[in-house]
């Protein structure tokens, strides 16, 4: 709902008329949020920035498998944005 309020192209039929939506997730956790965006919003690219390398490593054991529309970077979210 919040993406719709920002007039972001959430529905695929609206997305075809607009540029791709880019989403930034600060913090990876288990990777469920960026995975949800990438799998449900096919017209979106998801950038993830994670401060701790150990979180990125642990996410692999939680089932996180980045696809081509998810780009994970290690670093500070303040510097990334």
């Amino acid at each position: 709902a919040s993406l719709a309020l920002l007039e972001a192209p959430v529905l695929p039929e609206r997305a075809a008329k607009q540029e791709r939506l880019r989403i930034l997730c600060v913090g990876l956790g288990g990777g469920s949020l960026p995975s949800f965006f990438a799998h449900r919003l096919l017209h979106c690219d998801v950038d993830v920035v994670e401060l701790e390398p150990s979180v990125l490593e642990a996410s692999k054991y939680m089932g996180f498998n980045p696809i081509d529309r998810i780009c994970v970077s290690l670093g500070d979210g303040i510097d990334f944005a």
Side-chain angles (χ1 to χ4, degrees):
S2 60
L3 291 174
L5 290 174
L6 296 172
E7 297 184 15
V10 177
L11 301 175
E13 57 272 10
R14 288 192 60 210
K17 301 173 188 172
Q18 299 181 17
E19 63 184 59
R20 293 183 66 77
L21 180 64
R22 285 191 71 191
I23 297 173
L24 172 61
C25 294
V26 179
L28 177 61
S32 60
L33 186 60
S35 293
F36 172 81
F37 285 137
H39 287 98
R40 296 291 182 187
L41 304 175
L42 301 179
H43 56 285
C44 295
D45 296 312
V46 182
D47 292 307
V48 181
V49 60
E50 173 54 55
L51 185 62
E52 296 294 331
S54 58
V55 172
L56 177 57
E57 185 63 28
S59 71
K60 297 173 187 175
Y61 299 103
M62 295 183 200
F64 177 66
N65 295 310
I67 59 174
D68 61 342
R69 290 179 294 104
I70 300 176
C71 178
V72 180
S73 302
L74 288 173
D76 192 322
I78 293 174
D79 297 331
F80 189 86

